[in-house]
Amino acid sequence: MKILVTGGAGFIGGNFVHYMIHKYPEDEIVNLDLLTYAGNLETLKAVEDKPNYKFVKGDIADREFVFALFEREKFDVVINFAAESHVDRSIKNPGIFVQTNVMGTVVLLDAAKTYGVKRFHQVSTDEVYGDLPLDRPDLFFTESTPLHTSSPYSSSKASADLFVMAYHRTFGLPVTISRCSNNYGPYQFPEKLIPLIISRALDNEELPVYGKGENVRDWLHVEDHCAAIDLIVRNGRVGEVYNIGGHNERTNLEVVKTILHALGKPESLIRYVTDRPGHDMRYAIDPTKMETELGWKPKYVFDTGIQQTINWYLENKEWWEHIISGEYSQYFEKMYGDKL
Ligand code: NAD
Ligand code: TYD
């Protein structure tokens, strides 16, 4: 099988490439990535010489380029991870989220329709469902929860999902969509909460917590997400949406304190800063469909996964130090300069 993975130089796509190259040496993986600020080929060092792996630099929204790639490579499967993925960036600059997440997905759908694929899988997010109130812990997102987005990021992802479904109904494209909760694990770019807290705490720097830190996220280890996507692509039903999550809800403050405790750092590093505009209160996934239909079960609970992740950041300082010493330091100054 020849698989196009887009966004494979990012956090989840990179972990997915590692997962697939080792699990299926008989399959070929082509990784198409634009190498934006979030793309990092250092993540792929261990696989770059594998005979079943190839990297191609390019933009999923570049129609001519994408069509030429499909014509040349004749993919069996497309798995679309490529996206602008950071809510805070989408608040500063929504346009690029429309360009990559919506227009880019439509270009890939058009190419898949023109050249034919056995499966087009769209990697989406639970954020398309909006948020849940903190005082209703009995509520969870199911696959039939209405789309109700809050941020430019989630709105662009929901739009892409609607196009994916439209290409199934209108053109018969064999699609699936997965909507996963917040991921954590190795190779996550250090502007997202968990790697940001680990890297800054290790450097004894102030830790920005938005608002009161009471927002709840449902954390899933990236390896469990990769295994779920693999199962959906191989055994999932065409035209279906699958929610992915492992019932690991934590407030942001709990997450930050867990990391500080594990690193032996003081809670006095925490700084409460101005809240994110439109900040979603709680995300929580009901994964019953994944579990009953596809037999998926996560390997990690948060307490073991976070420890493994902290260890990874401790053992791979070079990977994230390269990032935070570069262009990223200007980003941090721009986003947090007047907050800390
Ligand atoms: P990321 O920002 O770490 O990686 C995104 C990758 O896409 C980068 O390598 C970047 O270079 C590439 N990219 C960006 N624009 C591109 C373009 N126009 N053409 C080609 N490549 C481009 O993101 P991530 O956290 O790995 O998320 C991957 C996917 O999973 C996204 O679609 C995101 O919406 C979804 N998702 C993420 C989470 C999470 O917690 N991180 C949870 C659920 C779903
Ligand atoms: P993030 O990792 O950006 O993921 P998402 O917004 O997609 O859920 O943020 C996770 C949570 O952490 C979210 O509620 C916002 C909060 N947060 C902070 O409190 N401080 C920070 O510096 C960042 C980046 C996030």
Side-chain angles (χ1 to χ4, degrees), residues 44-221:
L44 297 158
K45 269 219 162 90
V47 298
E48 66 190 10
D49 294 327
K50 298 277 184 205
N52 59 336
Y53 171 76
K54 182 158 81 184
F55 175 74
V56 180
K57 181 168 188 260
D59 185 345
I60 58 163
D62 180 340
R63 183 169 290 268
E64 219 174 292
F65 167 82
V66 168
F67 271 58
L69 183 71
F70 273 69
E71 174 149 38
R72 198 169 65 235
E73 298 284 354
K74 314 215 172 346
F75 299 115
D76 299 299
V77 169
V78 176
I79 307 180
N80 183 26
F81 291 89
E84 287 291 334
S85 70
H86 191 179
V87 173
D88 292 327
R89 285 184 185 252
S90 82
I91 295 167
K92 292 264 184 223
N93 181 13
I96 185 67
F97 285 70
V98 178
Q99 176 62 18
T100 290
N101 300 1
V102 186
M103 304 301 282
T105 300
V106 171
V107 168
L108 289 172
L109 287 166
D110 278 338
K113 167 174 159 276
T114 304
Y115 294 99
V117 292
K118 295 193 188 89
R119 180 65 62 87
F120 184 102
H121 182 76
Q122 175 73 359
V123 180
S124 187
T125 164
D126 62 352
E127 300 192 28
V128 299
Y129 299 123
D131 63 352
L132 297 164
L134 290 182
D135 61 358
R136 289 293 308 273
D138 56 315
L139 296 180
F140 297 92
F141 297 136
T142 70
E143 287 79 2
S144 53
T145 301
L147 303 187
H148 186 79
T149 59
S150 314
S151 69
Y153 164 67
S154 54
S155 303
S156 67
K157 293 295 291 185
S159 307
D161 285 9
L162 292 173
F163 275 99
V164 172
M165 281 312 186
Y167 273 61
H168 173 58
R169 170 142 180 181
T170 308
F171 305 115
L173 196 70
V175 307
T176 37
I177 295 178
S178 53
R179 296 184 178 142
C180 190
S181 60
N182 284 62
N183 281 213
Y184 66 97
Y187 301 114
Q188 188 168 26
F189 194 80
E191 69 184 26
K192 300 282 175 73
L193 181 72
I194 287 181
L196 178 130
I197 298 298
I198 297 173
S199 57
R200 288 183 67 83
L202 283 172
D203 289 342
N204 298 308
E205 288 176 309
E206 293 175 314
L207 310 175
V209 170
Y210 298 165
K212 296 189 201 139
E214 62 188 355
N215 306 64
V216 171
R217 295 294 182 263
D218 183 359
W219 293 98
L220 188 77
H221 193 281

Side-chain angles (χ1 to χ4, degrees), residues 300-340:
Y300 293 91
V301 292
F302 186 73
D303 294 335
T304 52
I306 193 69
Q307 195 52 59
Q308 181 260 23
T309 302
I310 291 170
N311 292 343
W312 187 88
Y313 278 85
L314 284 169
E315 286 156 17
N316 292 275
K317 267 188 147 181
E318 212 179 301
W319 181 88
W320 55 268
E321 275 177 344
H322 274 177
I323 296 171
I324 61 175
S325 62
E327 195 194 322
Y328 172 76
S329 57
Q330 287 155 30
Y331 162 87
F332 198 87
E333 190 48 41
K334 207 162 72 197
M335 295 296 256
Y336 297 87
D338 55 352
K339 289 184 176 171
L340 289 176

